[in-house]
């Protein structure tokens, strides 16, 4: 069989497998020479007791003929044979116990552990949770020929007791008739393996001499492919990945069993020549999320990698950016925030205090400012229609009523008697204090919903304004009084349409040119915030909203790479350990040293969500 290799020699046997195996119940993992084998090699509880698949027995030093109608098991001079018409027969030694009949399960033939006891297969440990066989001196690779005395029972050996001779066990009804001759052959097996960072992709190609029907059974440890009417040379191979590939001939055709150790397998067929292809994807490091798979991106998403720079661009006819936040004072993974918003991709947002998870600069969601602005850093804004804005707005809430207008000092839950503060209620955070008044307003309403003194817990989505009446006597103090709250962006008129906004900085690219000005935005270039690290940004490329991720570099290097890639505008987001660029199913921020530190939870993110006003062309 092309592509198959013999097993390497293992260690000598040490102990004999005791008769206690007969009494064991339930599936158990199997070890050989102290090395635990894949789950598919374990025992199974079947009618007649605990059993092992025949295809695994060569690992124990047993030469086999894996044929339900003519089963042979050989260890040194001792041999057991089984045929449905004759039952078990011993050759070279007396068989003094009655063995349960073999069983078919999941396309594999199983034999009782007592048959291994009779053959003298050695074992190291027999516990309720593990069956550890001694490693044999060599592993047979040849398949035994048909029994020379098929249909003729072997001469019985002397028995230690008198009485009637033991009768052969009843033939199991599920065992099939002898294998017929097939016209289609499984000629060649080709295996390839590639690594994409922490993801292994293995391809197994089964080349057939002609067309054949195939069916797939998903197993807990892999899959089993049945090729109807196909002949095959039985064999077992340990692949480079560590997976086990086993070919078995059955009366119905060929059975291909692939244990994948937790990998995800997909199967498809090709012709000219006829082939069955099994692609298995395995994440080698469970602590590291998978990288982006360019072949399985959502429609309308483009992924580019230019050296260490990764770019995710989104068709604006299909997707629009939004700011999505975790509950106040909490943090979530970017993937969780994407899923919460029903999006397809996302990138972490602005800077925040790791201790409180509170943003340190502007955050606005749905027209409501939830975190105040430092009024100096580069800001991203998004209109309700999905247009992206870049600039330096300095937004403030403004309260207006009969003959007055007051600018709100800050946005926060903590009260301050000297300030007029605002807060967007979340249903659990308290505002206000003794001697202070809190006005509750419904966004967009023109009158006070309620006026309260003392500590208040504003309902979710409600605007709360807290103040000392002595300092702000013009503000109303009763429900129903006329009052409106507006968000004044204090920027050019394009920002009047902003619904969401997030400040971070610095501005990296403007009108296709490097635009770094750390002094203008108050960044200390001698501090760690300016160190070479992994960098993340949001911008536009050829009119498409784009997430950018640089594996490692300074802000200057990042800006230069973005200009070279063709971005028109871009703002850096919180970089370093927070930098996370995610698209459904994978992350850009992996590779090299990034495999060990990939992301941390953040209070907000920019998420790409499907547009609700998709035009028919976009739907196609």
């Amino acid at each position: 069989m092309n592509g198959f290799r013999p097993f390497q020699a293992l260690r000598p046997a040490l102990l004999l497998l005791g008769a206690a195996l007969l009494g064991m119940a339930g599936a158990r993992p199997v070890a050989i020479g102290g090395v635990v084998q894949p789950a598919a090699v374990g025992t199974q509880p079947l009618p007649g007791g605990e059993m092992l698949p025949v295809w695994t027995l060569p690992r124990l030093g047993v030469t086999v003929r894996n044929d339900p109608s003519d089963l042979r098991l050989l260890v040194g001079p001792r041999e057991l044979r089984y045929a449905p018409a004759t039952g078990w027969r011993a050759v070279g030694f007396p068989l003094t116990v009655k063995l349960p009949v073999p069983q078919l399960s999941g396309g594999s033939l199983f034999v009782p552990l007592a048959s291994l006891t009779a053959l003298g297969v050695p074992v190291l440990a027999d516990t309720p949770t593990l069956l550890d066989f001694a490693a044999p001196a060599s592993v047979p690779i040849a398949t035994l020929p048909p029994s020379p005395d098929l249909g003729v029972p072997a001469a019985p050996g002397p028995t230690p007791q008198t009485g009637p001779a033991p009768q052969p066990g009843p033939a199991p009804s599920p065992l099939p008739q002898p294998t017929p001759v097939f016209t289609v052959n499984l000629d060649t097996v080709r295996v390839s393996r590639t690594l994409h960072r922490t993801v292994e992709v293995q391809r197994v190609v089964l080349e057939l001499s002609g067309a054949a029907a195939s069916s797939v059974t998903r197993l807990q440890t892999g899959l089993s492919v049945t090729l109807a009417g196909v002949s095959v040379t039985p064999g077992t191979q340990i692949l480079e990945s560590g997976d086990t590939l086993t070919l078995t001939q059955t009366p119905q055709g060929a059975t291909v069993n692939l244990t994948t150790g937790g990998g995800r397998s997909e199967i498809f067929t090709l012709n000219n020549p006829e082939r069955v292809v099994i692609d298995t994807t395995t994440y080698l490091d469970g602590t590291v999320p998978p990288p982006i798979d360019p072949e399985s991106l959502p429609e309308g998403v483009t992924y580019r990698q230019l050296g260490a720079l990764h770019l995710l661009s989104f068709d604006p006819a299909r997707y629009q950016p939004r700011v999505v936040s975790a509950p106040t004072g909490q943090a979530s993974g970017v993937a969780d925030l994407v899923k919460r918003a029903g999006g397809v991709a996302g990138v972490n947002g602005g800077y925040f205090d790791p201790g409180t998870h509170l943003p340190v600069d502007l955050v606005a969601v749905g027209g409501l400012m939830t975190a105040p602005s430092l009024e100096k850093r580069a800001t991203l804004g998004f209109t309700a229609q999905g247009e992206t804005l870049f600039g330096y707005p300095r937004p403030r809430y403004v309260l207006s009523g009969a003959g007055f207008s007051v600018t709100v000092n800050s946005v926060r839950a903590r009260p301050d008697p000297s300030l007029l503060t605002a807060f967007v209620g979340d249903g659990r955070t308290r505002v206000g204090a003794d001697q202070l008044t809190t006005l509750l307003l419904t966004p967009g309403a023109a009158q006070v919903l309620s006026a309260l003194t003392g500590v208040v817990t504003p309902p979710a989505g409600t605007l709360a304004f807290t103040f000392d009446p002595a300092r702000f006597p013009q503000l109303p103090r009763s429900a129903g009084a006329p009052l409106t709250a507006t968000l004044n962006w204090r920027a050019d008129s394009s920002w009047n349409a902003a619904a969401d906004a997030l400040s971070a900085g610095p501005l990296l690219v403007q009108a296709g040119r490097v635009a770094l000005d750390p002094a203008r935005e108050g960044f200390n270039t001698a501090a760690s915030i300016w160190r070479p690290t992994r960098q993340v940004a949001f911008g536009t490329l050829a009119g498409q909203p784009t997430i950018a991720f640089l594996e490692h570099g300074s802000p200057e290097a990042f800006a230069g790479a973005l200009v070279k890639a063709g971005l028109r505008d871009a703002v850096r987001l919180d970089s370093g350990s927070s930098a996370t660029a995610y698209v459904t199913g994978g992350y850009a921020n992996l590779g090299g040293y990034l495999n060990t530190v990939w992301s941390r939870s953040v209070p907000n993110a920019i998420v790409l969500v499907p547009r609700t006003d998709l035009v028919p062309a976009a739907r196609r």
Side-chain angles (χ1 to χ4, degrees):
M1 189 76 202
N2 291 343
F4 274 79
R5 304 186 300 270
F7 290 104
Q8 295 180 350
L10 303 177
R11 287 175 287 177
L14 299 178
L15 300 171
L16 291 180
L17 177 63
L21 292 174
L22 292 171
M24 298 299 296
R28 287 187 289 171
V30 165
I32 299 177
V35 178
V36 178
Q37 302 298 297
V41 181
T43 70
Q44 285 194 24
L46 295 169
E50 191 178 11
M51 299 193 178
L52 272 172
V54 174
W55 62 265
T56 67
L57 301 186
R59 303 179 183 213
L60 309 179
V62 182
T63 307
V64 304
R65 176 175 177 78
N66 193 351
D67 184 342
S69 61
D70 181 20
L71 172 66
R72 298 183 65 186
L73 309 176
L74 175 66
V75 177
R78 303 166 74 90
E79 181 181 355
L80 286 174
R81 300 175 183 173
Y82 181 88
T86 61
W88 286 103
R89 296 164 288 146
V91 178
F93 72 102
L95 183 61
T96 60
V97 296
K98 182 178 179 180
L99 299 178
V101 299
Q103 299 290 322
L104 278 174
S105 176
S108 295
L109 183 63
F110 286 74
V111 294
L113 295 183
S115 64
L116 304 183
T117 303
L119 291 170
V121 176
V123 71
L124 298 177
D126 177 14
T127 72
T129 58
L130 181 69
L131 183 58
D132 187 4
F133 291 97
S138 62
V139 174
I141 60 174
T143 298
L144 292 172
S147 299
D149 60 346
L150 184 63
V152 180
T159 59
Q161 58 188 27
T162 60
Q167 298 298 312
S173 57
L175 289 177
Q177 296 302 311
T179 304
V181 176
F182 300 118
T183 58
V184 177
N185 300 319
L186 174 52
D187 290 334
T188 305
V189 176
R190 291 186 288 108
V191 181
S192 62
R193 175 177 179 260
T194 58
L195 289 174
H196 181 55
R197 297 180 185 166
T198 60
V199 176
E200 172 193 77
V201 179
Q202 173 181 269
R203 170 163 287 188
V204 176
V205 181
L206 311 173
E207 293 190 353
L208 308 175
S209 64
S214 62
S215 60
V216 181
T217 301
R218 300 283 179 177
L219 306 173
Q220 186 176 2
T221 57
L223 55 79
S224 178
V225 181
T226 300
L227 303 171
V230 174
S231 64
V232 65
T233 301
T236 298
Q237 179 182 356
I238 305 299
L239 306 182
E240 183 183 359
S241 63
D243 295 350
T244 302
L245 181 68
T246 303
L247 307 180
T248 305
Q249 184 71 69
T250 72
Q252 292 76 34
T255 298
V256 179
N257 288 299
L258 180 64
T259 62
T260 59
R264 185 185 71 248
S265 296
E266 301 296 334
I267 184 168
F268 58 93
T269 58
L270 299 172
N271 50 29
N272 296 323
E274 301 294 331
R275 286 156 290 169
V276 176
V277 181
I278 307 170
D279 283 345
T280 303
T281 301
T282 303
Y283 302 129
L284 301 179
D285 187 345
T287 65
V288 178
I292 293 172
D293 180 0
E295 304 300 323
S296 62
L297 293 173
E299 190 171 358
V301 181
T302 303
Y303 172 67
R304 303 175 183 88
Q305 183 174 359
L306 306 172
L309 179 65
H310 304 257
L311 301 173
L312 281 167
S313 298
F314 303 85
D315 181 355
R318 291 182 174 274
Y319 306 103
Q320 66 182 80
R322 286 178 45 196
V323 174
V324 176
S325 296
T328 305
Q330 297 183 21
S332 296
V334 171
D336 294 331
L337 293 173
V338 170
K339 294 172 185 176
R340 182 181 306 173
V344 298
V347 60
N348 62 284
Y351 307 103
F352 63 95
D353 178 357
T356 64
H357 295 127
L358 294 176
V360 297
D361 210 338
L362 167 67
V363 177
V365 179
L368 299 178
M369 182 166 55
T370 59
S373 172
L374 296 177
E375 301 186 0
K376 61 183 178 182
R377 298 276 171 83
T379 300
L380 291 162
F382 307 114
T383 68
Q385 292 72 39
E387 180 185 358
T388 302
L389 306 171
F390 299 87
Y392 297 91
R394 297 175 295 120
R396 295 281 192 93
Y397 282 115
V398 176
L399 297 181
S400 302
F404 72 89
S405 179
V406 181
T407 299
V408 177
N409 298 112
S410 183
V411 176
R412 66 188 194 185
R414 187 176 71 255
D416 187 327
S418 65
L419 302 177
L420 169 58
T421 58
F423 184 76
V424 179
D426 57 12
R428 59 185 183 83
T429 303
R430 298 187 299 176
V431 301
D434 293 342
Q435 311 304 318
L436 299 184
T437 298
T438 297
L439 303 179
L440 301 183
L441 279 76
T442 300
Q447 61 183 18
V448 175
L449 178 64
S450 62
L452 304 167
T453 299
V455 176
V456 178
T457 302
T462 301
L463 281 168
F465 298 94
T466 301
F467 60 98
D468 180 352
R471 287 183 174 269
F472 298 92
Q474 66 272 54
L475 293 177
R477 282 174 280 175
S478 61
L483 187 68
T484 59
T486 57
L487 189 56
N488 184 350
W489 289 96
R490 298 195 297 168
D492 64 75
S493 59
S494 64
W495 280 87
N496 294 336
D500 294 358
L502 186 146
S503 293
L507 182 68
L508 297 171
V509 181
Q510 187 174 41
R513 296 186 177 186
V514 173
L516 277 174
D517 189 349
R520 173 183 177 177
E521 299 187 33
F523 283 103
N524 180 2
T525 58
S528 63
I529 197 170
W530 210 260
R531 73 191 188 281
T533 182
R534 55 181 180 180
Q535 306 280 345
V536 67
F538 190 90
T540 55
L541 173 62
Q544 295 189 327
T546 297
I547 294 170
F549 178 84
L550 183 69
E551 292 179 7
H552 190 264
S554 66
E556 289 85 356
F558 193 22
L562 295 177
V563 169
K564 185 177 180 180
L567 271 78
R568 176 175 173 78
D569 300 283
V571 170
R572 187 177 89 150
L573 302 172
D574 186 7
S575 296
S577 61
S578 294
T580 306
Y582 169 83
V583 66
T584 302
Y587 293 78
N589 48 307
L590 298 171
Y593 77 98
L594 299 177
N595 283 344
T596 56
V597 180
W598 65 273
S599 178
R600 68 176 175 183
S601 296
V602 294
N604 50 68
I606 298 173
V607 175
L608 279 298
V609 299
R611 297 184 65 95
T612 57
D613 57 347
L614 286 175
V615 296
R619 289 185 185 277
R620 293 196 298 269

